[in-house]
Amino acid sequence: KDVLLHWRRSPKKPQQSQQTTMSLPSSPVTGAFTGIQWDPMQKLRLTQPEKLLLRSGEANPIDYTLNNAGESTAYVKVVLKVLAEASGASGPSSKVSHLKGMLPDDEALQILYTDPMGVVTHYAITKLYDIIVCLREKKMGGDVSIGATFYNEDDGNLLDEWRPLLRVLHLGGSGDAFAQRGAAYCLAHILMAGCPSQRFATNRSLKINHASVMEPLQALISWITSQLQSSASSSLSLVTPTLTALMTCPEARTMFANSGGIGYLSRHLRNGTKGSKTGSGATVQQLYELCFCLWTLTYECNSSAMIRTAFVRDHAVHALVDLVSSAPREKVVRVALSALRSLAQCNAEASPSPSSDSKKEVTGATFLSEMIGCGLIKYVDQMKERQWTDPDIVDDLNVLHKLLHENFKEMSTWDVYLAEVQSGSLEWGFLHTEKFFKENAKKFEGTNGDFSVVKTLVALTASNDEEVQSIACYDIGEFVRHYPNGRVIARSLGAKDIVMRLVDHSNEELQRHALTAVSKMMVSNWAAVH
């Protein structure tokens, strides 16, 4: 339910108790589960007591089977053994792994005879999912929990039997989407139960060895980031349910951020918003879940200079503002505004940057400047005129409106221009006029004399947005006109050759601005020619 209504619409820091339960789609061969006979399946190497335990689990409600910690652990070990033996090391199953839609019962039963291990793999994943859901619904701190079930009572270590779940994630070939999605989700909850921040959710008498969780958790997050490297919607569907669960855990958030997660999320959000030529095909729900994960990561900004820097480096503000401006759905706008508000209000008091230069410190003011550069003020002003039924949106808009306008008053015209160029979101306005360039031409040198702003403008001529390309061409031309020796500087930065390629562009407006910019770079007295 939209990640528990935006975590119950609470502005407080995310907590484990506020997690939601993903609804795992049924296996395509669910109809074959009742036909599984354990005795003939010698490959599974099950003992007679293990077969009896499996039959008992099928004959009784799951809550009865998990009635006490000892029985719960015994049942889990058998199901994990079934998964280990059925999935094997030879890659995905021959038939079941390729199925997409639900099969009628008679066809599913037929598959049981042609690909029994594929069916059993799906059976084991389904049972593990049911176990996780049941244990999460039990009374917090009770004797039977995920921690009490999946961790050894004597040394507190994670059960060795967890490893088949990771192996399922790395199935070769085209994989097995149902098994991978279910395995990732189950593994996430098993590992989170062993993190220090989740102690309150487990029986206090149970001493968990938290160190036993860190390596498996890193392995899971590495698999998630590998999937996020793909722009395919199918890859997103494998990981977003698991990622939204993991992001309620501080240890997982930090580990994901350290693995480049903020950059992956930002890229998918940019690709999924209106106007991107390389659209990822992400659904509105996937955009919501990705944005939700980015929002949870903002809560680590006050405690981590590295994460604040990652938000700047990976242009997360740009991605969030694009999401607000395209407004794919109200729930997406709500969580994007929440993330922007959290960034705008963050500070570096608890975790200052290792750099001794206080001017380079990333704080809420840094993000506000980025937001202004991306044109968020205009969008917030427009949105405040609308009638919103969601009080969270109204509150976030009021806070952002106040902070943005206060910050804008303190910024010079050059500061606003610099923020816009750095954001990559150029829009026609007073910043792109002859008057502005006459007054600010010398400032294009930059504090280090490296003309970094001009370099950025040259890079923006390759933007996916043709209006941004046009404005970049115009600005380069005006810099050439008004900066002493601007023609030589622009040529040395490769501007002439790059802009020249746009002279034959199919967009006539872009073609005109490119031609004008090239002319300014070639003619010494442009005013006379003009």
Side-chain angles (χ1 to χ4, degrees):
K1 289 294 183 179
D2 294 339
V3 196
L4 199 58
L5 287 180
H6 194 33
W7 264 334
R8 296 175 183 171
R9 301 188 174 181
S10 170
K12 297 179 181 179
K13 202 166 187 176
Q15 298 292 335
Q16 168 78 5
S17 60
Q18 294 172 311
Q19 288 181 27
T20 68
T21 300
M22 173 194 82
S23 177
L24 183 69
S26 297
S27 162
V29 291
T30 299
F33 292 168
T34 56
I36 295 175
Q37 300 294 319
W38 300 114
D39 287 326
M41 295 192 177
Q42 300 300 318
K43 183 181 177 181
L44 298 180
R45 298 188 293 182
L46 295 172
T47 64
Q48 201 59 35
E50 288 171 340
K51 294 174 185 177
L52 290 173
L53 198 53
L54 287 170
R55 293 188 186 110
S56 174
E58 292 160 5
N60 297 296
I62 191 69
D63 191 50
Y64 177 85
T65 304
L66 306 176
N67 191 43
N68 65 67
E71 292 180 3
S72 178
T73 299
Y75 183 63
V76 159
K77 284 185 175 182
V78 175
V79 175
L80 285 169
K81 178 181 178 179
V82 168
L83 179 63
E85 300 296 341
S87 57
S90 58
S93 61
S94 60
K95 297 185 182 299
V96 173
S97 64
H98 301 293
L99 298 173
K100 301 300 180 184
M102 178 72 70
L103 293 181
D105 289 357
D106 57 338
E107 292 183 29
L109 287 168
Q110 185 63 38
I111 289 282
L112 177 60
Y113 294 102
T114 57
D115 184 12
M117 293 302 107
V119 173
V120 171
T121 295
H122 279 216
Y123 170 87
I125 292 292
T126 301
K127 280 296 179 185
L128 284 169
Y129 171 77
D130 292 342
I131 289 167
I132 294 295
V133 172
C134 179
L135 292 176
R136 291 187 64 239
E137 291 175 350
K138 287 185 176 292
K139 184 179 179 181
M140 191 177 297
D143 291 335
V144 183
S145 64
I146 294 177
T149 301
F150 288 90
Y151 292 80
N152 291 316
E153 186 177 3
D154 51 351
D155 58 11
N157 286 334
L158 178 65
L159 294 178
D160 288 336
E161 287 84 354
W162 71 271
R163 298 182 187 281
L165 289 167
L166 187 62
R167 190 171 68 212
V168 167
L169 300 184
H170 293 282
L171 288 172
S174 57
D176 184 331
F178 171 82
Q180 289 173 310
R181 193 179 194 216
Y185 185 79
C186 292
L187 185 56
H189 284 286
I190 293 167
L191 298 178
M192 283 192 294
C195 290
S197 62
Q198 313 303 306
R199 286 190 297 267
F200 67 89
T202 303
N203 188 330
R204 294 182 180 179
S205 64
L206 178 66
K207 303 299 182 183
I208 290 179
N209 179 10
H210 304 300
S212 68
V213 171
M214 293 303 115
E215 188 176 338
L217 184 58
Q218 182 61 68
L220 175 59
I221 286 176
S222 295
W223 176 78
I224 289 173
T225 55
S226 72
Q227 296 299 314
L228 289 175
Q229 289 174 27
S230 168
S231 60
S233 179
S234 57
S235 294
L236 285 179
S237 67
L238 282 181
V239 300
T240 49
T242 298
L243 194 56
T244 53
L246 280 173
M247 290 301 98
T248 63
C249 175
E251 292 86 355
R253 289 199 293 269
T254 301
M255 204 174 281
F256 181 66
N258 286 334
S259 301
I262 293 171
Y264 293 124
L265 295 177
S266 300
R267 189 195 72 188
H268 277 288
L269 288 174
R270 284 195 299 272
N271 287 348
T273 51
K274 186 178 179 181
S276 173
K277 288 183 178 181
T278 58
S280 65
T283 64
V284 170
Q285 182 61 25
Q286 287 171 342
L287 286 176
Y288 174 79
E289 290 170 346
L290 291 168
C291 190
F292 178 85
C293 292
L294 203 56
W295 168 68
T296 64
L297 288 162
T298 65
Y299 281 92
E300 301 304 315
C301 283
N302 286 350
S303 59
S304 173
M306 180 278 295
I307 290 180
R308 293 196 303 275
T309 301
F311 269 97
V312 174
R313 181 193 65 227
D314 297 323
H315 307 292
V317 166
H318 190 172
L320 290 166
V321 173
D322 281 352
L323 210 55
V324 169
S325 65
S326 62
R329 199 73 62 81
E330 184 173 304
K331 67 179 183 180
V332 181
V333 172
R334 182 179 69 243
V335 73
L337 288 173
S338 293
L340 289 167
R341 174 181 175 174
S342 183
L343 290 172
Q345 294 180 314
C346 78
N347 62 70
E349 294 175 4
S351 59
S353 170
S355 171
S356 58
D357 187 354
S358 60
K359 293 183 179 179
K360 294 183 179 179
E361 188 72 79
V362 176
T363 64
T366 309
F367 294 118
L368 283 166
S369 296
E370 277 196 73
M371 294 174 202
I372 290 169
C374 292
L376 184 61
I377 282 186
K378 178 180 70 176
Y379 301 131
V380 168
D381 288 348
Q382 291 172 349
M383 292 170 74
K384 274 181 65 66
E385 299 301 316
R386 292 175 55 183
Q387 296 296 318
W388 298 94
T389 56
D390 190 326
D392 285 344
I393 291 181
V394 175
D395 187 44
D396 287 340
L397 284 173
N398 288 335
V399 171
L400 284 169
H401 182 270
K402 181 175 181 292
L403 292 173
L404 286 167
H405 281 275
E406 287 176 352
N407 202 70
F408 184 76
K409 289 176 184 177
E410 297 175 3
M411 295 174 71
S412 66
T413 306
W414 173 253
D415 290 333
V416 176
Y417 177 79
L418 190 61
E420 182 179 300
V421 172
Q422 290 174 340
S423 75
S425 299
L426 305 182
E427 291 187 5
W428 290 112
F430 73 94
L431 297 175
H432 309 284
T433 59
E434 181 181 12
K435 181 177 183 294
F436 172 80
F437 280 86
K438 277 183 177 179
E439 295 173 352
N440 295 280
K442 289 290 287 182
K443 294 177 181 175
F444 279 80
E445 295 174 357
T447 54
N448 299 321
D450 59 357
F451 295 91
S452 60
V453 180
V454 182
K455 292 177 183 177
T456 304
L457 288 172
V458 173
L460 288 175
T461 61
S463 167
N464 289 327
D465 189 320
E466 292 174 354
E467 183 177 67
V468 170
Q469 289 179 286
S470 297
I471 298 172
C473 288
Y474 174 85
D475 286 6
I476 291 170
E478 287 300 280
F479 163 76
V480 168
R481 282 184 63 200
H482 298 288
Y483 183 81
N485 212 23
R487 293 165 61 208
V488 175
I489 299 296
R491 286 185 179 185
S492 70
L493 297 176
K496 180 185 172 184
D497 293 338
I498 293 173
V499 175
M500 183 75 81
R501 298 171 194 155
L502 299 174
V503 170
D504 295 324
H505 199 279
S506 58
N507 184 308
E508 293 184 3
E509 182 72 5
L510 174 53
Q511 184 184 110
R512 180 172 67 83
H513 284 292
L515 183 59
T516 303
V518 171
S519 300
K520 290 174 182 177
M521 283 185 260
M522 296 178 67
V523 178
S524 58
N525 190 355
W526 172 256
V529 175
H530 186 62

